[in-house]
Amino acid sequence: MNKMNFSAHVLNVFDEMKTSYEEVKNLMFDLYKNELDDGISKREAEDKLREVSLKIFGLTKDSSRRERERAYRDHARQYFDVIEEVTDWTVSTGLKENEWFNALVNYRNLKEGDTNLFVNEHEEVILSIARMGKRHHDTMLQRLPENTTYSVETDVYGAAVGADIDRYLIGQEDWTKLVDAITKAFVVKIQELIFAEILEAPKKLPAQSEFVQTGALNTTNRKKFNKVLQNVSVANDNADVVIMGTMVALQELENLIDVKWVADSQKEDIAKMGRLGNYGRYTLVEIPQRFARNDVTKSMYKDDTLFVFATGDNKLVDMVDVGETLIEEITERGTANSNIADIMKYEVQRELGVSTRIGRYFGSWTITD
């Protein structure tokens, strides 16, 4: 972002503090990454950024709630212009922080120069489910011949973040927690949408009984479970197989192991991770569980579902990220779009598109009691 895009008010703040936007932006990045230059303490960096923030809003650390509310109304847009570039980076990084995301999502960031063009390299794509388009949110089913190119429609998505900004300015939270709050408000929402797509994908597989099964994980069903693993391997030219699930789901695999034959290395895995690191020759990949935002009674990911994938390209989800984060004020006070508990409500917005494309056979097991 060129500093000429800033308002005269923001430029005056930089001049008054004898600093520049580039210096402020670099300090924001360094503090968030915990990579401060020698001689600069975390406390000094926090104080400097909070001072810049307060001056942009025209506030002091002792300003009243009424004064802060008026300042947010008058200067929030100017403040977000300064920090949006930092949140661009944290959102892009946050989306790719999970191992399951990297294994299952073919991610394209258009800001980094990628194109919104995908090539089907499989001889037979079982199904393509295009989702989240600008014109509709209906499911589109289509078959894609080998070497077909296609693009993914995009739409603007948003997630709310409100009172965190006020807590930061009055000193109750530091810069890292503020940026985490802004980032997670969006990242968690998108990861939840993507995982919802993945949960639906097994229903579209042909030969359901060979790849999609339900039952308790116990010695009675061990052969049935192992058969799913074998089917996935054989259907993918005898490829190695990985098993994905939350920790709770992966822990159920212990019921299939005869403790008399457990290797010492497996005992060490359980001691370190709380679960097995592998099931026989199959590697286990943990999907980190999260609560739904602001609701500790609801988990984001199902603890009763295991996925079975052949190693290699299992990227079921093609995701296009336009790559520019916007933070907008939601001004409809007293309506369903506002939050009375917040001094002001803001929404993190980003344009993206997602499609689910099943090019290889995989399996799933729904765990029952």
Side-chain angles (χ1 to χ4, degrees):
M1 179 187 295
N2 189 296
K3 80 173 189 175
M4 295 304 295
N5 294 114
F6 294 130
S7 68
H9 169 70
V10 171
L11 295 178
N12 287 337
V13 169
F14 290 152
D15 289 341
E16 180 184 340
M17 298 189 67
K18 295 181 172 56
T19 189
S20 68
Y21 168 66
E22 287 300 318
E23 291 173 325
V24 172
K25 182 185 72 173
N26 290 338
L27 185 60
M28 289 175 174
F29 273 114
D30 292 346
L31 181 57
Y32 186 78
K33 293 184 290 184
N34 195 28
E35 297 177 357
L36 293 168
D37 293 339
D38 291 340
I40 301 178
S41 69
K42 184 176 185 294
R43 184 72 269 158
E44 289 171 336
E46 289 285 358
D47 290 344
K48 175 67 176 292
L49 289 184
R50 187 169 282 110
E51 183 183 4
V52 171
S53 301
L54 287 169
K55 284 186 178 296
I56 290 175
F57 281 111
L59 297 169
T60 70
K61 62 182 179 62
D62 299 318
S63 294
S64 67
R65 180 183 176 92
R66 178 186 294 176
E67 290 170 331
R68 297 198 307 273
E69 185 169 357
R70 290 172 177 171
Y72 300 153
R73 180 188 62 206
D74 295 338
H75 299 298
R77 179 67 270 153
Q78 296 164 325
Y79 178 67
F80 291 136
D81 286 345
V82 174
I83 71 171
E84 277 174 349
E85 191 166 332
V86 178
T87 56
D88 273 351
W89 177 81
T90 59
V91 167
S92 296
T93 302
L95 283 170
K96 297 177 286 186
E97 68 180 357
N98 288 334
E99 187 177 4
W100 72 264
F101 183 94
N102 294 326
L104 300 179
V105 179
N106 189 6
Y107 177 80
R108 301 278 181 88
N109 187 308
L110 301 190
K111 188 178 181 182
E112 296 174 356
D114 291 331
T115 59
N116 184 1
L117 194 65
F118 297 84
V119 180
N120 169 38
E121 298 176 348
H122 299 284
E123 292 183 5
E124 178 189 5
V125 166
I126 300 169
L127 196 64
S128 176
I129 313 166
R131 302 280 296 184
M132 307 182 199
K134 285 182 177 177
R135 292 184 294 275
H136 56 75
H137 290 261
D138 297 328
T139 299
M140 295 190 303
L141 307 181
Q142 55 184 307
R143 291 189 177 274
L144 300 178
E146 185 178 8
N147 295 323
T148 300
T149 59
Y150 63 98
S151 60
V152 176
E153 294 186 43
T154 61
D155 201 355
V156 175
Y157 287 82
V161 56
D164 308 279
I165 297 157
D166 192 54
R167 288 194 293 267
Y168 165 68
L169 288 176
I170 63 178
Q172 292 180 348
E173 291 186 353
D174 62 23
W175 169 252
T176 300
K177 288 184 179 179
L178 171 65
V179 177
D180 271 343
I182 292 173
T183 302
K184 288 178 181 177
F186 183 83
V187 169
V188 170
K189 178 181 179 67
I190 297 306
Q191 289 179 340
E192 184 175 17
L193 288 169
I194 289 172
F195 197 71
E197 292 290 299
I198 293 170
L199 284 174
E200 291 296 310
K203 299 177 182 178
K204 309 300 180 181
L205 282 168
Q208 289 278 305
S209 62
E210 304 301 318
F211 298 96
V212 182
Q213 288 288 348
T214 299
L217 286 182
N218 52 32
T219 54
T220 301
N221 285 330
R222 181 165 54 197
K223 182 176 180 180
K224 184 178 174 183
F225 181 76
N226 290 342
K227 182 66 173 176
V228 172
L229 302 181
Q230 178 176 279
N231 288 343
V232 173
S233 176
V234 172
N236 291 281
D237 299 322
N238 293 308
D240 291 334
V241 165
V242 298
I243 305 170
M244 286 190 183
T246 66
M247 176 178 285
V248 171
L250 293 175
Q251 285 174 332
E252 291 295 309
L253 292 170
E254 296 172 29
N255 298 328
L256 303 181
I257 303 294
D258 188 334
V259 294
K260 293 183 293 184
W261 294 95
V262 172
D264 289 341
S265 60
Q266 290 177 299
K267 294 177 183 177
E268 291 174 3
D269 287 338
I270 295 174
K272 291 178 182 178
M273 299 185 294
R275 61 171 176 81
L276 294 168
N278 62 282
Y279 170 69
R281 63 190 179 96
Y282 304 113
T283 300
L284 308 186
V285 176
E286 183 177 330
I287 299 172
Q289 183 62 278
R290 299 179 186 272
F291 287 125
R293 185 167 172 82
N294 299 324
D295 186 357
V296 296
T297 67
K298 179 182 178 183
S299 296
M300 280 183 55
Y301 310 132
K302 291 186 177 182
D303 287 322
D304 64 352
T305 302
L306 290 171
F307 293 99
V308 181
F309 293 103
T311 56
D313 181 11
N314 287 298
K315 296 184 183 292
L316 298 177
V317 177
D318 293 324
M319 176 178 176
V320 171
D321 179 8
V322 175
E324 291 190 352
T325 303
L326 296 175
I327 305 172
E328 298 288 353
E329 178 183 338
I330 307 301
T331 58
E332 293 86 349
R333 309 291 286 177
T335 71
N337 291 324
S338 67
N339 188 336
I340 299 302
D342 292 344
I343 270 190
M344 191 69 72
K345 177 176 174 180
Y346 302 95
E347 188 174 73
V348 188
Q349 297 181 353
R350 199 171 176 100
E351 184 176 347
L352 60 95
V354 175
S355 69
T356 305
R357 172 174 49 95
I358 304 173
R360 304 179 79 194
Y361 283 92
F362 65 96
S364 73
W365 184 283
T366 301
I367 304 168
T368 60
D369 295 331

